[in-house]
Amino acid sequence: MTDPMINPACGIDFGTSNSTVGLADASGARLLPLEDGSVTLPSAVFWQTEGAPALFGRAATAAYLEGEDGRLMRGLKSTLGSGLIHDKTAVGGRAVSFREVLARFIGHLRAAQLAAAPGLDRVVFGRPVHFVDDDPAADAAAEAVLAEIARDCGWREVGFQYEPIAAALHYEQTAAREELVLIVDIGGGTSDVSVVRVGPGRAVLPDRGRDILANDGIRAGGTDFDRLLSLSEALPHLGYLAPTRGGGTMPRHYYHDLSTWHRINALYSARTASDLKALRLVADQPTLIDRMIRVVAGRHGHALAMRVEAAKIALSDAEVARLPMADLTGGPNPMLRRAGFEAAVEAPIARIRALLERVLSEAGLAPDRIGTVFLTGGSSQLPILRATVQSVLPGVVMASGDMLGSVGTGLALEARRRFG
């Protein structure tokens, strides 16, 4: 049994793909087990239609894959900063807003914290450098909604810290000397980069503002890689960009919804079913549209997205990987190649490269002034991403922490510094 912590502070990493709850006291920081002993909880909600309680994490995904009645929702963080956060979707015969779904999930994280530290009512949440690119008003609105949800869940005082800064605080726990570290945090929905001065003697300083030399971020991450891989390799087998008999191509928005986690449920409507049947009549290859109709009618969208995500992960270790989707689509099981994936994600990778160069420039540093590049986030181990970092900072030491836990641990340490 874990020894109880004395006067702990709490940090929450609510991620696009995975979430953690961290506690820290004078003895250090740890992440709480959230599901079956795991300290990470997939950011997924399965809203059952028969009035049963919502399911979260792996249990949510399992219920969906087992064919239970209900709605699976993933990628919920991506709704922050967009008009979609206030939209409603039909679940179990009633309209449920995406804000309510977020509140249910964050309330589940709050319950885990209360079980471990009943009296704790102050928290530091992580946030990307930008929830929304080039829109300060939408970015501020996203943070405000998240803070409001957190207070509604019972936290009296809610603070925020940039996720890459939290990762730096975690890295600093093992730093042997003072150095400049480039933190590269590639999450599910955002990519953030920071230059931070760290060192054994700096962790106790009350104000670390001067140690942050530069930081910036973009709204592009692992779910974008999934989407682009799906559009490139999976959805052409369902009619994406397929010609019509009139000389045009199939409308793209259905396929973009199918490849985007938080938009998949929008396809499950009578109107979409009717539209696809009409499009089949003008398609040059109606068999492809039959496959699309099969996926939408069977509500296999999330299952297909999971298969694509798994293939992406497999391509991190192998040059080729099979995408098993025939049982969902009635089509082939295509063989994917790493080179094809890397070509598909060329645009966001170029944006990440520009982000790296921009942050170094804003810090006023040549690449050789960086002591270590610290990589974190679920997509940071992709070979194309590591190669991009290496090309911008040739010869610099690259270190990796807990891919899914560094930010949460750092947020707990930040909460300890703020709240004592």
Side-chain angles (χ1 to χ4, degrees), residues 80-81 85-86 99 102 140-150 152 160:
L80 290 168
I85 187 66
H86 301 296
R99 186 194 183 284
L102 259 70
E143 182 179 295
V145 168
L146 186 54
E148 185 180 78
I149 290 172
D152 289 346
F160 289 91

Side-chain angles (χ1 to χ4, degrees), residues 68-392:
E68 295 187 22
D69 288 337
R71 295 284 294 276
L72 178 68
M73 302 182 189
R74 281 190 59 176
L76 296 169
K77 187 177 179 180
S78 298
T79 64
L80 290 168
S82 74
L84 194 63
I85 187 66
H86 301 296
D87 287 354
K88 294 188 176 183
T89 185
V91 178
R94 72 183 186 95
V96 176
S97 70
F98 285 95
R99 186 194 183 284
E100 184 177 348
V101 180
L102 259 70
R104 286 292 187 98
F105 184 81
I106 291 171
H108 185 70
L109 301 180
R110 168 67 168 161
Q113 178 254 284
L114 285 173
L120 199 159
D121 62 359
R122 297 186 292 184
V123 66
V124 172
F125 268 76
R127 58 152 293 163
V129 176
H130 301 300
F131 281 106
V132 183
D133 292 342
D134 303 319
D135 191 339
D139 188 79
E143 182 179 295
V145 168
L146 186 54
E148 185 180 78
I149 290 172
R151 286 191 290 270
D152 289 346
C153 289
W155 283 292
R156 177 176 55 85
E157 189 170 348
V158 181
F160 289 91
Q161 179 57 277
Y162 292 129
E163 290 156 2
I165 303 304
L169 297 175
H170 179 230
Y171 172 80
E172 189 172 52
Q173 300 300 295
T174 57
R177 67 186 190 284
E178 186 169 308
E179 62 175 330
L180 295 176
V181 177
L182 185 75
I183 307 295
V184 181
D185 181 7
I186 312 298
T190 57
S191 295
D192 294 327
V193 177
S194 300
V195 177
V196 185
R197 182 182 292 106
V198 303
R202 309 199 72 80
V204 298
L205 296 178
D207 182 7
R208 301 298 301 277
R210 293 183 179 180
D211 287 341
I212 304 170
L213 278 65
N215 68 321
D216 202 350
I218 57 175
R219 190 169 174 132
T223 56
D224 296 283
F225 301 150
D226 297 343
R227 175 177 56 82
L228 292 169
L229 180 60
S230 184
L231 290 170
S232 173
E233 303 292 341
L235 298 191
H237 296 286
L238 279 65
Y240 178 59
L241 299 181
T244 62
R245 286 199 289 268
T249 58
M250 291 294 295
R252 300 185 183 190
H253 64 93
Y254 301 108
Y255 299 94
H256 283 273
D257 283 350
L258 187 59
S259 64
T260 305
W261 280 109
H262 64 277
R263 293 294 307 169
I264 292 172
N265 284 318
L267 291 171
Y268 301 150
S269 68
R271 179 172 181 176
T272 299
S274 177
D275 289 349
L276 290 175
K277 288 178 182 178
L279 287 167
R280 183 190 184 280
L281 299 177
V282 299
D284 191 52
Q285 302 177 70
T287 301
L288 300 181
I289 313 309
D290 287 338
R291 297 171 186 169
M292 180 68 169
I293 291 172
R294 175 173 171 167
V295 169
V296 173
R299 300 198 172 195
H300 299 317
H302 287 92
L304 180 58
M306 290 175 201
R307 306 276 183 90
V308 172
E309 181 184 33
K312 176 197 70 175
I313 294 169
L315 289 172
S316 293
D317 298 318
E319 292 292 333
V320 296
R322 181 75 70 182
L323 175 57
M325 63 182 210
D327 58 322
L328 304 176
T329 69
N333 293 318
M335 184 67 76
L336 310 189
R337 300 188 178 278
R338 183 187 292 174
F341 165 67
E342 293 180 350
V345 301
E346 182 177 350
I349 289 294
R351 292 182 64 204
I352 291 171
R353 180 187 180 89
L355 173 65
L356 292 164
E357 294 170 342
R358 184 165 66 250
V359 169
L360 286 172
S361 176
E362 290 174 358
L365 297 173
D368 60 6
R369 291 286 309 282
I370 299 297
T372 301
V373 175
F374 183 69
L375 294 161
T376 189
S379 294
S380 63
Q381 294 303 298
L382 291 173
I384 184 64
L385 190 284
R386 296 180 72 88
T388 299
V389 174
Q390 199 78 67
S391 70
V392 176

